[in-house]
Amino acid sequence: MALETAKGVGTFAVDWSLRLDPLSGLMILVVTGIGFLIHVYSTAYMDGETSGAYARFFSYLNLFCFFMLTLVLPRTTS
């Protein structure tokens, strides 16, 4: 991707990746398991809400679970 700056045109590159080691794999299972239990409990807890509030709550909950899963994966740079 070309990036124009005040000094001229340069290139912008972000080199990073996620690594899966045995400890990260175990933590992914823990986070996923607890997240699943929270989702199951929340379906009964949110039973009387409107469909918009229900969808918004679970969207935020899924986003939180996504960020928790990316948090337990160590990042590596090249």
Side-chain angles (χ1 to χ4, degrees):
M1 178 171 89
L3 178 68
E4 186 175 356
T5 62
K7 294 183 180 182
V9 177
T11 59
F12 176 73
V14 178
D15 296 325
W16 61 276
S17 61
L18 299 174
R19 181 182 54 195
L20 179 64
D21 55 1
L23 180 61
S24 297
L26 178 67
M27 291 307 295
I28 285 175
L29 290 175
V30 169
V31 169
T32 305
I34 292 173
F36 173 74
L37 292 175
I38 292 170
H39 276 78
V40 169
Y41 176 77
S42 296
T43 55
Y45 182 76
M46 296 287 291
D47 190 34
E49 296 294 326
T50 63
S51 62
Y54 194 81
R56 184 173 49 253
F57 175 78
F58 280 100
S59 297
Y60 289 145
L61 188 59
N62 286 329
L63 189 64
F64 177 75
C65 288
F66 168 75
F67 282 119
M68 287 300 293
L69 287 171
T70 57
L71 186 66
V72 300
L73 286 173
R75 281 159 294 288
T76 59
T77 58
S78 319

